[in-house]
Amino acid sequence: ENIPTGRNLEFPIEQERDYWQQVLTTRKLSASDRLQVEEKLQDAILKLHRKAGDEQIQKYKEDAAKYRNNLDDKKSALEQLVVANAKLYGDDSDQAKAAIKDVATINQEIHLRDLANLKASEEFKSSQKEKELDSEQAHIDHLADLNLISDREKLQRERDLEQKRYEIKRQALSDRMALWEAENKVTNDADPKEKQSIQNSAQELD
């Protein structure tokens, strides 16, 4: 029995797959008809695979957009997008390469965010240390006003404080330079004026 291969039939992909599967299992086919039906079935299965893959990719894209203010979750969605694109279109496909590029971009954003957080933390610590030294200075002045320490002892304590201030400022400048270099390594575009400002401050300090 010759079975039409249904070249002009248009079904939803799932029905198309089921149709050709039923033809294979329920009809007596010639060798040539069987080959054509098997090709139709494989084509329908491939379309379903692509459809599922495209739907998954779209979900990851939506997740990445949804998490635009949460870099870590956005990175996770983009990494899943890389895998999905590579699986569906191939590792060397434009889709996979574009997804990999997006992951590289988000990695850079995360790195810069972490550097900014580190900079803020170091600046806060340095500021707190300066405030502690201001408190020490006030305490020294108070002791001197009450004549509880000699002028010589007051001078020595103040010299010790100045050394501590120098070390704090020197460390702060060193930290700033390290952060500038780290940022420049990531972006290759760190502000050269910031670097010059750090160097000028270091020269003035010395």
Side-chain angles (χ1 to χ4, degrees), residues 172-184:
L173 289 171
S174 177
D175 292 340
R176 282 178 60 193
M177 182 59 78
L179 287 170
W180 185 92
E181 291 174 347
E183 178 183 343
N184 195 54

Side-chain angles (χ1 to χ4, degrees), residues 5 43 56 61 75 83 92-93 101 105 129 134 144 158 168 173 177 180 186 202:
T5 55
D43 183 61
Q56 191 67 62
K61 287 181 177 179
K75 176 183 176 182
V83 175
D92 294 329
S93 65
K101 185 177 180 181
T105 298
K129 289 178 181 178
D134 290 341
E158 288 176 338
I168 290 172
L173 289 171
M177 182 59 78
W180 185 92
V186 173

Side-chain angles (χ1 to χ4, degrees), residues 134-149:
D134 290 341
S135 296
E136 285 190 45
Q137 180 65 62
H139 181 62
I140 291 171
D141 292 339
H142 181 65
L143 292 177
D145 291 341
L146 296 176
N147 294 318
L148 295 177
I149 57 174

Side-chain angles (χ1 to χ4, degrees), residues 13-31:
I13 301 175
E14 293 82 0
Q15 290 185 26
E16 184 178 341
R17 176 202 58 195
D18 296 342
Y19 171 78
W20 295 119
Q21 184 64 58
Q22 183 181 22
V23 169
L24 277 178
T25 57
T26 63
R27 304 294 182 87
K28 294 181 179 180
L29 302 172
S30 66

